[in-house]
Amino acid sequence: MKTSIAIIGAGIAGITLARALGPVADVTIFEKSRGLGGRMANRRREGFAFDHGAQYFTARSEALRSVVGAAVAAGNAGVWPKAVHTLSADGLVSDTRPPEPRYIGLPGMSGLANALADGLQIHKEATVAGLAHSGGGWLLTDGDGKDLGSFELVVSTAPAPQTIRLMPEAFSGQTAMKTVKMSGCFTLMIGLQASLDLGFDAARIDDPILSWIAVEASKPGRAGKTAFTVHSRNDWAEANLERDRNDVKSEMLASLERLVGQDFSSADWLDLHRWRYANVDQAAGLPYLFDEALGLGACGDWCLGNRVEAAVKSATALSERLVTRLQGN
Ligand SMILES: Cc1cc2nc3c(=O)[nH]c(=O)nc-3n(C[C@H](O)[C@H](O)[C@H](O)COP(=O)(O)OP(=O)(O)OC[C@H]3O[C@@H](n4cnc5c(N)ncnc54)[C@H](O)[C@@H]3O)c2cc1C
């Protein structure tokens, strides 16, 4: 019988890990959300579409390049943006450097995760809230105490602060996880029925409140409707995380209006998303965490860095360790 493994989280790390372990183990993913992809997220509302999490990703490793190459060929990923300009109170500074290829999921950012998840066993809207030692493995329960099944090995890919709470104090990775620092981000989503050309597709923003703006209609495979996704700075989000959402929205909007010289007060769609754990300020500095004696592990971007690539690298490193372990059984 194959070893049973539960993976907590269907972001890019969980899906990468499950794909690699699939041939040698009986793998089940539990994902608390309705959709896959985690922070590689997108949202559709009233005909407007927004990638409200990760904006694009690079593929510097050979392994990720080959996965992304296949996804591009299959229409599940595309290349965007050609250039990332810089917007500040002084105006727009164009990026003239030859671009490193940057990728997005199609038809939305989660499209890559959806395609890679094909054939995997995933329980959606299943939040793992408890792990209890049972026999030779772990019994997983949800927030209502409902039994989600027993597994010989369990790996969490949830952000470090959430994995700390899930794992028992005896887990050998606790100390490393406690060194990880993650910060929040607010994402403002603006939809307009009228078209509006800002003169760029994507820009970093040099501002005390905002850090990024993407013109959604400039992406391949997206609906042509005018939609802008705007990220706050992480430090500003951290200082304002518990503030009233309408105040946050108004401050971000006012900053954007000043920068682009447009009034968005009568926008046809305006929404705000709060990411509690968006980006990694300080990573664990280890490719993954695995407690051989307990049969518990953790991986994700926060092990190694701050990006989609770090999440893939971390999950790949843990999968190599587990495949070797399982094949030795
Ligand atoms: C606003 C923002 C902008 C970003 N911009 C970029 C960018 O431009 N480029 C880039 O490369 N990266 C960017 N990132 C970072 C990138 O999104 C992450 O590095 C990457 O997606 C992390 O993948 P992961 O699988 O490690 O974690 P996640 O994507 O966070 O996946 C973890 C999954 O676990 C699930 N989960 C958590 N707890 C539980 C539980 N108890 N039970 C069940 N499921 C659970 C979550 O719902 C989630 O789906 C950005 C992130 C944000 C939020």
Side-chain angles (χ1 to χ4, degrees):
M1 270 240 304
K2 285 181 173 176
T3 301
S4 59
I5 304 183
I7 297 176
I8 301 170
I12 195 70
I15 288 172
T16 301
L17 182 64
R19 279 165 59 92
L21 295 179
V24 293
D26 181 6
V27 181
T28 307
I29 302 185
F30 295 93
E31 168 53 52
K32 71 176 178 187
S33 306
R34 271 196 310 256
L36 310 181
R39 282 172 275 155
M40 295 178 79
N42 51 265
R43 177 177 289 186
R44 286 172 196 279
R45 296 284 189 279
E46 314 258 323
F48 299 108
F50 306 92
D51 292 334
H52 62 296
Q55 294 301 292
Y56 62 79
F57 57 94
T58 50
R60 291 171 192 151
S61 73
E62 187 47 51
L64 184 55
R65 251 202 309 277
S66 91
V67 169
V68 173
V72 170
N76 302 313
V79 178
W80 181 92
K82 285 199 198 70
V84 176
H85 304 303
T86 303
L87 181 64
S88 73
D90 300 329
L92 190 72
V93 177
S94 298
D95 180 8
T96 51
R97 288 171 302 175
E100 173 181 18
R102 304 171 176 115
Y103 300 96
I104 54 171
L106 294 180
M109 198 61 173
S110 64
L112 178 66
N114 286 328
L116 295 178
D118 189 33
L120 301 179
Q121 192 180 324
I122 304 182
H123 295 290
K124 297 179 190 167
E125 295 185 84
T127 301
V128 178
L131 289 181
H133 227 160
S134 93
W138 295 92
L139 172 70
L140 272 54
T141 46
D142 71 7
D144 300 322
K146 197 179 117 206
D147 182 344
L148 296 173
S150 289
F151 300 86
E152 289 162 270
L153 303 179
V154 179
V155 176
S156 173
T157 68
Q162 295 170 330
T163 297
I164 288 173
R165 292 196 287 274
L166 266 175
M167 290 287 173
E169 200 43 53
F171 174 54
S172 60
Q174 285 285 5
T175 308
M177 287 196 291
K178 285 173 187 161
T179 66
V180 174
K181 290 193 175 52
M182 296 187 71
S183 54
C185 178
F186 285 106
T187 304
L188 185 63
M189 291 159 269
I190 305 169
L192 305 177
Q193 294 298 351
S195 59
L196 173 61
D197 184 2
L198 294 180
F200 57 83
D201 295 347
R204 288 197 183 86
I205 303 180
D206 186 1
D207 178 71
I209 295 180
L210 305 180
S211 69
W212 170 265
I213 177 166
V215 178
E216 295 291 350
S218 68
K219 297 178 181 175
R222 303 301 200 261
K225 268 186 153 181
T226 309
F228 305 117
T229 299
V230 181
H231 287 325
S232 74
R233 291 170 60 107
N234 295 113
D235 55 357
W236 189 81
E238 279 297 301
N240 290 277
L241 269 185
E242 305 307 330
R243 265 182 77 191
D244 180 86
R245 291 169 62 91
N246 286 326
D247 292 348
V248 169
K249 211 191 281 184
S250 303
E251 276 207 45
M252 288 180 69
L253 209 51
S255 259
L256 183 67
E257 289 174 346
R258 273 195 302 276
L259 287 159
V260 298
Q262 292 285 336
D263 176 5
F264 294 110
S265 56
S266 54
D268 300 285
W269 179 258
L270 255 188
D271 200 4
L272 184 79
H273 183 83
R274 186 186 83 153
W275 294 97
R276 179 67 192 86
Y277 304 113
N279 298 105
V280 182
D281 298 328
Q282 186 176 310
L286 296 166
Y288 58 83
L289 306 171
F290 188 67
D291 187 319
E292 192 69 55
L294 292 180
L296 294 175
C299 65
D301 60 347
W302 52 268
C303 284
L304 284 172
N306 182 33
R307 306 254 132 220
V308 168
E309 285 219 72
V312 171
K313 201 169 167 189
S314 170
T316 304
L318 178 55
S319 74
E320 285 165 1
R321 159 97 177 250
L322 292 179
V323 166
T324 306
R325 182 189 196 268
L326 295 170
Q327 283 175 337
N329 272 350

